[in-house]
């Protein structure tokens, strides 16, 4: 029986996705969470020539960017952080007081588009369930299809990487997987601090770090892990945090 | 009391969003649904100089593109439809049999990014609840915040436009608002037909039309309204359908 | 970086599943629903040398067998239907009045095990969403991952076959897809009739038929489609219905 | 295209709400929770000439007043607390034993009406998510639209004020935001004590205090924070607690 | 054992509510739905000396007023409808184009407060389940506690009145109770028409009527019952509709 | 291994329940619904020497009696219906106007206790799913455990009887099973009429009938099947309706 | 206007329930939970002449009796506990090994019927939310309508008594209200122990006690409070525990 | 009345299930959880002549096998573990690197089929709620119908055995029942460790043990109880763990 047009379409997708999925099993850097810091880190690492896989539990990437503040889809970037937009096709408009506004839809889509064009592999609807840890070093992430592992007794698969970046925001999902086992300080701060936008914009960048061999943090996950303050609907620090994570991870890989 | 840094950020967003929202109250074309045909139509109309507002009920635009087929995030475009990608920064890869595959994340984000860069105003988390009809002509859309009007007794607002495009896909939401009142044929087909990808790719383009004065249809909404066949995870027809809607609406506005 | 043990395990599964999935895209017979009649039909067709794919929306096959009656996990087979157990490794125990009882767990698992051993490909957690119809003939099934298409805007894929069997039981899912479009008599019986076990055991077998070119029915779907009576927790008719469907489809393929 | 009647209506609301929202970004006193103590405090502070913003997470203000006791919509005020009704257009009826009954609908609506007429800005469907803390002082509240931040990754905005009053009742929402971070005694009482109406009516007034620089408590939040007893469906203490909070905050602002 | 303070409080409420409830069993006019038209009708009828009972299924009265438009809590009144605010303590502000804006919190609370002060008895958390019809005339309403009758097999009680007003808005709950039985035209319009604010503001007032002996309609229920257009977030027509219902009912009672 | 105390307890229950269940498979009369009319009919039939099985889908029998009216647990009986309490150990108190009040808890429990003492077998948590119909006569009921058949693919069992009584109240569950198949007039009244307590108390008794060979109706099911009026929280008619059903069924069995 | 028949019925219920409710505000003994031990204690106390109020959160009393074991509605009583059935109209059947079986429906209804006939006031759909504690003594219970206080901000009422009995079973609801505040040992056993039917039947009786001035425990609440073992579906100990609680409370009231 | 065909079917099932259930009340070994290790242990113990009862809370046995990895229904077995498949009718295919792949549907069904054929009694839809503990030894399991005990106040029954095996996987349900009471070390590891497939495959076998007199653990429950690492979608260790549990338990029973 000759393959129908529908069969040929299905086959083309099956093959392309299988090839992409298999390719993503081993990466230089595996990033969990496609919000502002995760996407920016992925883009910068890809531009530096790293093989990057980005896992996102939702259907679409972009995280908190699309919603702006309180569902008003505009976001703010401060003067000092304009470099965070380098290479992304967006046009900030000055809003006084050293602030600039950007259309949230434009920022989220242009940032994601640039990352994919630069070679980042984004796998969506994939939920990180656990970490691989061998000999005291994080070597990968255990993941499942969103909606499958939470409601059915179905086993996950694993993704391997030289470095893993927890960019899951308020959840700090990977950090908590280690804390729960006492592999990271169980008595760390239980959450980020109250909002202090000035201090927060600084500490979210300064706090980027490798918190356990092989595991890095960026974005809101930094504040949650270290008790730094919340920042509000300004995205400069988030993006710069991702950039800094890319820099530090790249250097570590070179050194490694 | 001097405004704090957080207050200045909030104020910048409030003002920018208010200005954008007010501007969107009166448009040349109002499109409901930011899936492939809605986004493509919006982009083409903006490139033709039209003032376009695009309402999307979800947090992120892109509709069914992100998920590819069965959550394998790759999509297919046929040879004949490659022009549907004009002006969008994506790289289809040949897959044999006259088919090409594209990374779904790349297509969805690049299409949205290009639309916003071209001047389309996208308002997300806005749900169309009804139409404005004056003297036998659709003159706008009645809309509410997603999640508000469905669960609380809160009134909607209205958006005015010279032409309204129903790009809500399988829902055919605007078409059904008229059918429910008998303003469109109540005995029309209740849904799209079974899948026939060859026939479907043609009819989804050929069926673009003004179904009621002021109300146009594109994408899957065409098939649902006219009983055309389903098409499967191939996006050529969807994008071309949006392009054709843009052409026809633009000409009608010129003629109008 | 050498592939870790976890990566090699994941890779083995990815490749094996991809190969199986691709192979299942084109079958001789595509059966939807892995309950008693669907499993029995699949087993018989495989034994006749047919290439059979069986789609099941739940995690496990077996349908209503596991639960026996009212969650008492025993089932009944009548004398006249003992041949329905041919080739399945189970031991019915006489229960008087021409009836035999079987452990439900034993029947469900042995039937499925035998089908898989005979070459049937079972894909679980796959939900049939629609049919492919070309030129007035059913040529395949449109399907999605269970839980994906119902709650997210994600497109399905398609499975192609020379014959499709609706073994979805009370749902009669495929039959209703055609009825909804008026391709089958919209005024057919809305459901099976009240229970009449004697009459039902006969009509569920007698009513097996090709109801539309390329689409066959077996099991409870027969009763729903034709208004035959319900049968109760006796599985003879269900299994024989599957056997008869296998016979008739095989002959039609030979003739075809 | 001239603006339609619907557009002019929408525009009028957009402008009026934007103006009101912007105005509320910086207040003398920001009160969270429009129940009896929050509304009474807001009214008194407005009468003293303070600029007051009142955030309410529900659609309507009034909190527990509407439901009286066990959904019997009458409430009780004791002799000693009749002054709590000063300036509110209600008519208590003597009920013996030094008690008076009032129609609950009348009290809730008259109290809110008077507050708004006195200049209080009430923003409803706004949920406090966090606090702004600068240099050891609460300087504002982080808030989102009800239903948005809880179910979508959407950032909040912030409201700034010289003093913030936690009038969120049993939740003691703001107090818990500080406790969770260890900024207030983590070992404080976990909840209010058992009911003791006599003692409770006194302590709910006596316990009004500034519990952290810039953060005040009134109403049931006092009992929860300090382990005072529950009071039952008598509203004298609640209203007087709001009055006392208004007095103390006003004096602090004068002194501040 | 002497009654404790808590017991005396409980007793006072029990007695006051029992007295109010018993009093409400027989009214001149029974209004279902405490939204803008129901509250305004109740207020006017009470001012005319009628004994009015108002049943509201939610905890608080006010219906759609609190939410303004799209949760922006401002509402609009047109020049011609300013008389609809007579006797209510609110201050509309001119907004150009013959429109005025009002704080939604202020309008909802002042309207309810005035109604209660004028003698209207409001029973909240009471859901109308059915009508009493004797000899072809509506003579009362069958009602239950909200949340009780819907989930438990618990019988309702009945409220008797000379006239019943359906002010349940889009639900048109009482009208549908008669339609369901064929006591009102089953083929009436299934819902209100699309939005046309100019036409709608007129027809919502003009359409006030006694649709069945003893049963009147006002507000959105008029549009739903007669297929009139939706109106948008302008409340002039709604309030005037309530006023007209009060006038017509009062005259009918005089005549009756 | 000797049986433990717990094993002996479990064994005693298993055996007693099995014996009772088996015994109930064939009855003279099978009643579905243990509300007032079902319980009263069961009691009277048992007193007449009939073998009666009563299926109840909830955990406890009593139906709407426990809740009185609007969860006030008192019920009313009129003078003319006092005989409906014959043989039940309750004490009605005169309430004027020819009415008597009874404690709802007392009535529900005493009625059920008397039925069981008289030999009625009550099986609770059993949901009727369908009917057995042989040669145009209802011969039994198809039933499942509550909560099993609705959410899992598990087959039901069947109960056989000479007469079946639908006492399922507003649901009229058995009547609708026949209507759905067109075995009873599909165009019958869709529900009971509006409330008219005087007329309803009569018609609920007068309308008791065998609506299909082998299927009887009593209680609210009479009103729903015949469009008779609702009755309100007075239980005289309900109980008398059950008594009349018992009489008529008993006579039919004698004649049969 | 003369009161209609429906109005007179409603009025009779309102008055009867109001009188009963008011009467129940002050009792000798207030029992929370109408399961086997609560009902038996209530019955015995009423037979001793005490004024007893019994609060039950569900619609029907009987607790776990109706369901027997695993929804097989038979229960077991041991030889030594047959006296627990004194005065209840049931007929245990010997089941060997010193055990007797009883129809669960018969036991639950007869026990409740006897309690009501003996003067116990049962208020159903009433949920205990808290306790009244004055000067170190429990003096009553704070309660709300089931479903009201849990989902709406509605205040409860209070019930006063000389002694309060926690018969809420596994929940040990009242005990936990004191534990949560540290008024009872916070470090007590977190739950009952594993099942040991022999030991459990003894300790559930032996452990009946006044655990805080004014607060008594019986039934499973004893095991939960004291870490005694679970007992299984044998009801002798439960009923005897209720009897012992009645004895001890009665003596304490005499002594008190 | 002669028993109908439906009655005879129902009777046959009732009797067969009752006989099987009664027989299962006392076993040599009681296994909770019919996943890979539970099924394999059950099969081996039955082959050794032990009387085995297997309780499964879901409708179907097989646990996590059906879903393979991430719903790709293939599983992996390593060279060293091929003996784990002894006696099961499946055909592993070499996948390189010492790994073999198996069809998941085939493995799950063949394993269960073999267990039942070997005499294991599987009771499905039965949820373990607690343990029986007498004199410091686990002597059985307290269980209820799935869905019954969780939502209704219905008592469980008990199953007695010489040895109990906790094969409930990640839940470690029985282990937690003892931990909660402090009968097992409350400070044990809160969960399994991060994934390390090499180490995990060893420790899941090595850690099989009797953790409390009468209570054994196997499969993932070993890792959870002892903090061993997760293993990923490779089933060798799981099956071998079950085999080792069977060996050790059998020896203990011989020794016992």
């Amino acid at each position: 029986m000759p393959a129908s047009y529908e069969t040929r379409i299905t086959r083309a997708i099956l093959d392309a996705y299988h090839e992409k999925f298999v390719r993503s099993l081993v990466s230089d850097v595996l990033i969990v969470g496609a919000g502002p810091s995760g996407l920016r880190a992925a883009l910068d690492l890809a531009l530096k020539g790293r093989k990057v896989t980005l896992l996102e539990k939702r259907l679409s990437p972009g995280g908190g960017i699309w919603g702006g503040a309180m569902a008003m889809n505009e976001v703010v970037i401060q003067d000092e952080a304009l470099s965070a937009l380098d290479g992304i096709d967006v046009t900030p408009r000055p809003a006084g007081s050293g602030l600039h506004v950007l259309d949230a839809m434009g920022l989220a889509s242009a940032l994601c588009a640039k990352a994919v064009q630069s070679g980042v592999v984004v796998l969506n609807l994939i939920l990180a369930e656990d970490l691989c840890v061998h000999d005291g070093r994080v070597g990968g992430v255990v993941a499942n299809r969103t909606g499958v592992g939470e409601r059915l007794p179905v086993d996950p698969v694993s993704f391997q990487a030289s470095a893993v970046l927890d960019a899951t925001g308020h959840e700090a999902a990977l950090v908590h997987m280690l804390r729960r086992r006492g592999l990271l300080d169980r008595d760390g701060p239980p959450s980020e601090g109250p909002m202090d936008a000035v201090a927060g914009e600084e500490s979210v960048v300064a706090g980027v770090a490798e918190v356990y061999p092989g595991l890095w943090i960026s974005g809101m996950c930094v504040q949650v892990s270290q008790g730094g303050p919340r920042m509000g609907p300004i995205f400069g620090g988030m993006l710069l945090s991702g950039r800094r994570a890319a820099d530090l991870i790249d250097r570590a890989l070179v050194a490694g």
Side-chain angles (χ1 to χ4, degrees), chain A:
Chain A
M1 184 168 37
S4 68
Y5 195 48
E6 288 92 350
T7 298
R8 281 180 282 137
I9 295 168
T10 299
R11 180 68 194 270
I13 293 172
L14 276 174
D15 286 349
Y17 186 71
H18 179 62
E19 185 275 329
K20 181 164 70 175
F21 203 128
V22 164
R23 192 159 30 99
S24 76
L25 291 185
V26 181
S27 314
D28 291 334
V29 188
L30 186 62
I31 303 177
V32 180
S37 83
L39 276 170
R40 182 73 239 195
L43 167 56
D44 281 15
L45 281 161
L47 292 174
K48 290 171 199 290
R50 296 296 173 187
K51 188 178 169 205
V52 182
T53 299
L54 178 48
L55 306 181
E56 169 56 43
K57 69 177 178 181
R58 288 193 170 82
L59 178 60
S60 53
I65 304 177
W66 304 106
M70 224 170 76
M72 297 178 288
N73 60 359
E74 294 281 335
V75 295
V76 165
I77 298 272
Q78 64 273 49
D79 273 349
E80 313 84 86
L82 284 174
S83 67
L85 302 175
D86 284 358
I88 310 173
D89 196 357
V90 291
T91 316
R93 290 159 284 139
S97 315
L99 301 179
H100 306 257
V101 290
L102 284 125
D103 187 287
M105 315 309 281
L107 175 58
S109 57
L111 176 53
C112 177
K114 188 71 184 177
V116 176
Q117 288 153 16
S118 305
V120 174
V121 170
V122 188
L123 295 178
N124 55 355
L125 291 175
I126 299 286
L127 179 73
E129 289 189 347
D130 211 335
L131 291 164
C132 295
V133 177
H134 299 153
D135 305 324
R137 180 173 183 85
V138 168
V141 164
V142 179
N144 216 326
R145 288 215 171 276
T146 301
V148 168
E150 301 102 305
R151 60 182 189 84
L152 290 171
V154 172
D155 269 309
V157 300
S158 64
F159 294 86
Q160 180 180 355
S162 300
V164 173
L165 175 62
D166 185 344
T168 62
H170 288 271
E171 283 184 48
L174 308 187
V175 165
H176 284 305
M177 288 167 193
L178 293 186
R179 275 213 186 132
R180 193 154 39 96
R181 274 77 170 243
L183 297 176
L184 276 183
D185 183 10
R186 221 187 276 250
D187 300 328
S191 74
E192 74 278 13
M195 185 179 283
D196 183 333
V198 174
E201 286 295 298
E202 286 177 19
S203 66
V204 75
V205 181
V208 170
E210 185 179 27
V211 292
Y212 187 89
L215 180 65
W216 299 75
I217 55 174
S218 75
M220 270 312 297
C221 177
V222 168
Q223 311 297 70
V224 174
S225 304
Q226 302 175 352
R230 290 174 70 129
M231 293 160 296
I234 182 169
F235 283 80
M238 295 296 288
L239 295 168
L240 291 178
S241 181
R243 300 207 83 171
R244 180 138 193 263
D247 264 358
L248 296 181
I249 292 171
D250 185 61
R251 282 189 220 168
L253 292 180
V254 169

